[in-house]
Amino acid sequence: MESKRQQKFAGVIQEDLAAIFQREGMNYLPNTLVTITKVRVTPDLAIARIFLSFLGNPNVQTALHTIKSHASEIRYKLGARIKDQVRIIPQLEFFIDDTSEYVERMDKIFDKISKEERQPDTE
């Protein structure tokens, strides 16, 4: 379980990264909306795991690779924004947030189950 400190720091990172992607995201991925869905920070605040969602880009693996290739530049821009609030700027690790795909898959399974005929209970 994350501490309050980790949660607060993750919120700061999420807000500032969202602003960075909103302003300069087109430089990395044209015609793609990058959404930061979740940020998890290690207890020592040295590593931030950022979960991203991409809208308007059919190939999310390529989009993730592009973001990862610009990670040092993104970290530098994040550092410029939060330098007065923290001692160290965390390393950024980017991941694809597949929560929506998981939800869709589960919905299909539940729909399939609900459409099957129910067997009467015989005891």
Side-chain angles (χ1 to χ4, degrees), residues 7-26:
Q7 292 172 356
K8 186 176 179 181
F9 189 54
V12 168
I13 290 174
Q14 186 169 358
E15 281 183 31
D16 288 328
L17 279 178
I20 290 169
F21 280 121
Q22 187 177 18
R23 287 199 179 105
E24 302 174 26
M26 290 296 163

Side-chain angles (χ1 to χ4, degrees), residues 90-105:
Q91 290 293 326
L92 304 179
E93 295 178 354
F94 295 100
F95 301 95
I96 294 172
D97 184 15
D98 59 352
T99 305
S100 62
E101 294 170 9
Y102 177 76
V103 168
E104 286 177 23
R105 194 167 57 242

Side-chain angles (χ1 to χ4, degrees), residues 9 22 29-30 32 36 44-45 55 57-58 64-65 76 78 83-84 95 98 109 111 115 119:
F9 189 54
Q22 187 177 18
L29 297 166
T32 302
I36 300 161
D44 62 355
L45 308 180
L55 296 174
N57 193 326
L64 180 66
H65 179 69
Y76 176 79
L78 176 66
K83 68 180 183 240
D84 297 331
F95 301 95
D98 59 352
I109 291 170
D111 286 343
K115 289 179 183 175
Q119 306 260 337

Side-chain angles (χ1 to χ4, degrees), residues 41-59:
V41 182
T42 57
D44 62 355
L45 308 180
I47 299 172
R49 293 180 177 96
I50 295 106
F51 293 86
L52 303 173
S53 167
F54 301 98
L55 296 174
N57 193 326
N59 192 345

Side-chain angles (χ1 to χ4, degrees), residues 2-3 6 22 28 82 84 93 104 107 115 120:
E2 289 185 334
S3 68
Q6 286 172 278
Q22 187 177 18
Y28 309 125
I82 66 171
D84 297 331
E93 295 178 354
E104 286 177 23
D107 282 342
K115 289 179 183 175

